[in-house]
Amino acid sequence: MPSDRIARKRWGPSWRLSGRPDHPPVVFSARVQNAMRLCAMDEAAEAAGLKLGQGVTEARACIPETEVIEATPNADRAFLNGLADWCGRYTPLVATHGNDSLFLDITGCTHLFGGEHAMLRDILSRLFHMGLDTRASISSSPGLSFALAHSGQQKIVETGHEAEALTPLPLSALRLEEETLAALSRSGLKIAGHLIGAPRAPLARRFGSHVLRRLDQALGIEEETISPRLPVARFSAERQIPEPITGEDDILALAGQLAATLEKSFDAHGLGGQMFELALFRVDGHVARLNVKSADPLKEPARIARLFRERLAGLHDDLEAGFGFEMIRLSAGLTAPFNARQRDFMQHGKPDLPIADFAARVEARLGEALIHVPAMHESHIPERASRLAPFSGATPPAAATLPALIRPVRLFQYPEPVEAMAEVPEGPPITFRWRRAQHRVRRAEGPERIEAEWWIDGTDTPPRDYFRIEDEKGHRFWLYREGLYGRTPLPPRWFMHGVFA
């Protein structure tokens, strides 16, 4: 795979159609046990007799013109993830394995491509035209498919014939560690057939239970699940495009049609979508993903299409269509119960321009960091009990679980010091001076004690006693005393934390 990745950059994605140019063998080196050794190579180097694990110096001595490139695992991983995105056109359940392998769970998807044989031919043909030399097999278990593909076989194994297909394969195809393979080889066990008919108890005692587990996974006796690299959306709709499209208007028109398909599923379940993803599969294999969010659940195709219109407008020239997109998929990654009655501020029942729709369109174009609303936070400390959150990610007030507490209309970000005279040890203030003005207390309610959050402020932080105060002029304040008389090392201090209406 690394050599194919480099070849695509040098000679274009379709370089295999015209044949490999006259170029020296290409190998990739990595440090293994304090020595530079070959970790990957192209077909020319393999045909010339070079071997994986061979020293770089030895390889150059055998073929002086060999081009040695330092391995870049991060680039290889990014390329493999890109291939996994491309394979999402066949199934949403795609997982990566190692540095050069992909697992596709195609259960229930093959009929969309004309059956297993047609799907396998389509995958291999498309990847070949993308400049990749691949091996793929289909079976009832991931382990057997992996073993067949890594043994150079491309076939479809019918259910019930797993043992027959696995018997002639080398043990290295069972995803066993090198030490285990060496121990099995010294015992004369080299192919899977030697293990299938052997007594299981002696094998487990001598080589470990993981050998039998890998064997059972390949035979389908033990189930092996595929963990997809991306979450699978509950609601999804896609469209194959016979003639690739490039224009934004065409993309939005198809997005609206797919949204209409999702609307039927939403109606059947009484749900709406709050997070949508539009996946655009380009002809050359690149996959572009556009994501939009909404604070309120949506199901109307027009509103969903409007969000993606704003998203495309915010991208400007970042969405490169290339030779066009040949498939488009709309998925709802997050859903919520849908309230069919959405009204505007005038209570006319016309959901034309609700505030949630406006915020979602602005966020789709300019980003989530633009519009913020107060959102509740799990903290008893008043200045930490709320924070600003993106509009689409804020918790609705109806979902809040905090108790009904009397809090001032205006809460200061930083409490302001106050000079106060109060009854000891826990009485409210009698008079206090704040912002160079003297206030005499007429009524007081409290205290409301709030302990410090020791996991944030430390164990030495004193508690707070809050009082609701009304002075002689009718002004109402929210003060607190920090510390307790005779119980804390420092004398208590008074602070103004907010004012009531």
Side-chain angles (χ1 to χ4, degrees):
M1 191 187 70
S3 64
D4 285 345
R5 176 176 61 83
I6 296 298
R8 281 167 49 89
K9 289 184 177 181
R10 291 179 174 178
W11 307 316
S14 58
W15 67 276
R16 288 190 177 274
L17 296 178
S18 57
R20 187 181 188 278
D22 187 11
H23 191 276
V26 178
V27 298
F28 295 80
S29 64
R31 183 171 295 277
V32 180
Q33 297 179 352
N34 295 326
M36 298 302 295
R37 299 187 179 277
L38 305 187
C39 62
M41 64 183 67
D42 65 356
E43 293 124 325
E46 186 177 7
L50 299 182
K51 303 293 183 183
L52 293 179
Q54 190 176 14
V56 173
T57 304
E58 181 183 353
R60 281 177 169 163
C62 297
I63 307 176
E65 65 272 15
T66 300
E67 180 182 1
V68 181
I69 302 176
E70 185 177 356
T72 52
N74 291 336
D76 294 338
R77 171 59 61 177
F79 185 68
L80 186 63
N81 289 334
L83 288 178
D85 287 339
W86 178 85
C87 289
R89 68 182 60 222
Y90 297 102
T91 172
L93 299 174
V94 181
T96 60
H97 180 80
N99 300 322
D100 61 354
S101 301
L102 295 174
F103 281 124
L104 280 69
D105 188 345
I106 59 174
T107 305
C109 302
T110 57
H111 69 281
L112 301 175
F113 302 89
E116 294 178 348
H117 290 83
M119 174 185 280
L120 186 60
R121 286 195 302 268
D122 186 67
I123 293 175
L124 296 176
S125 175
R126 286 176 177 268
L127 291 176
F128 179 81
H129 284 77
M130 292 167 54
L132 302 176
D133 181 28
T134 56
R135 300 289 184 272
S137 293
I138 298 178
S139 70
S140 59
S141 69
L144 179 56
S145 298
F146 181 93
L148 291 169
H150 281 259
S151 300
Q153 299 189 29
Q154 298 184 158
K155 59 190 302 185
I156 298 176
V157 179
E158 301 292 338
T159 303
H161 295 78
E162 290 84 1
E164 179 183 351
L166 185 64
T167 296
L169 301 183
L171 291 178
S172 58
L174 293 181
R175 294 173 292 169
L176 297 174
E177 298 178 355
E178 293 294 334
E179 296 180 358
T180 303
L181 291 174
L184 290 168
S185 179
R186 287 193 298 268
S187 301
L189 304 175
K190 298 184 179 181
I191 63 174
H194 293 160
L195 299 182
I196 294 177
R200 299 175 64 88
L203 286 176
R205 286 195 301 267
R206 185 170 181 181
F207 303 107
S209 59
H210 63 285
V211 175
L212 297 179
R213 184 177 69 254
R214 287 301 190 189
L215 181 64
D216 290 343
Q217 288 175 346
L219 293 174
I221 300 175
E222 181 176 338
E223 184 178 359
E224 181 181 5
T225 58
I226 293 178
S227 299
R229 52 185 295 271
L230 297 177
V232 180
R234 180 181 177 185
F235 300 95
S236 178
E238 65 183 41
R239 179 74 58 84
Q240 296 281 350
I241 307 172
E243 190 70 23
I245 60 174
T246 58
E248 291 186 3
D249 292 338
D250 296 332
I251 294 174
L252 293 172
L254 286 175
Q257 296 176 16
L258 295 178
T261 303
L262 289 185
E263 184 180 15
K264 299 177 183 178
S265 301
F266 287 149
D267 288 337
H269 294 82
L271 299 174
Q274 288 184 294
M275 183 183 300
F276 295 90
E277 180 187 77
L278 190 67
L280 304 170
F281 294 81
R282 213 163 62 186
V283 174
D284 62 354
H286 177 75
V287 181
R289 299 182 184 274
L290 307 179
N291 294 276
V292 295
K293 295 181 180 179
S294 174
D296 291 340
L298 302 179
K299 67 176 182 179
E300 298 90 343
R303 294 183 64 184
I304 298 173
R306 275 203 304 268
L307 293 183
F308 283 109
R309 182 179 294 278
E310 300 293 346
R311 186 73 180 93
L312 288 173
L315 288 177
H316 300 292
D317 297 330
D318 294 340
L319 183 63
E320 179 59 47
F323 292 104
F325 301 105
E326 60 180 352
M327 196 182 91
I328 181 172
R329 175 184 295 149
L330 179 63
S331 304
L334 181 64
T335 60
F338 184 83
N339 182 10
R341 299 181 62 187
Q342 294 190 8
R343 297 184 175 182
D344 58 12
F345 290 135
M346 303 302 295
Q347 299 293 313
H348 291 158
K350 298 179 180 180
D352 292 336
L353 289 175
I355 185 63
D357 184 73
F358 167 77
R361 293 175 63 183
V362 172
E363 289 182 342
R365 174 176 289 204
L366 302 178
E368 295 183 11
L370 188 65
I371 300 181
H372 290 81
V373 294
M376 293 185 177
H377 183 61
E378 295 182 356
S379 177
H380 294 289
I381 306 300
E383 61 266 29
R384 299 174 185 166
S386 64
R387 59 184 178 182
L388 293 178
F391 187 92
S392 59
T395 303
T401 57
L402 294 179
L405 301 175
I406 300 177
R407 292 291 182 260
V409 175
R410 181 185 178 190
L411 189 71
F412 299 147
Q413 183 177 4
Y414 301 102
E416 300 180 6
V418 170
E419 298 177 6
M421 294 181 59
E423 300 177 359
V424 293
E426 298 181 355
I430 301 174
T431 64
F432 64 92
R433 183 179 179 85
W434 175 56
R435 292 183 177 178
R436 296 184 295 181
Q438 192 72 24
H439 300 267
R440 181 173 295 276
V441 177
R442 185 171 65 176
R443 294 185 179 88
E445 295 180 352
E448 175 191 344
R449 179 162 297 177
I450 299 179
E451 294 287 346
E453 295 176 339
W454 57 266
W455 56 92
I456 298 177
D457 303 316
T459 56
D460 297 333
T461 303
R464 300 177 181 179
D465 282 348
Y466 280 86
F467 294 89
R468 292 187 295 276
I469 302 296
E470 182 179 335
D471 66 3
E472 292 180 336
K473 297 181 180 180
H475 301 147
R476 304 186 68 224
F477 308 93
W478 204 41
L479 285 77
Y480 73 85
R481 179 182 58 235
E482 184 181 72
L484 303 173
Y485 288 101
R487 303 188 203 176
T488 54
L490 298 177
R493 298 185 300 169
W494 288 88
F495 292 89
M496 179 72 67
H497 206 162
V499 293
F500 293 90

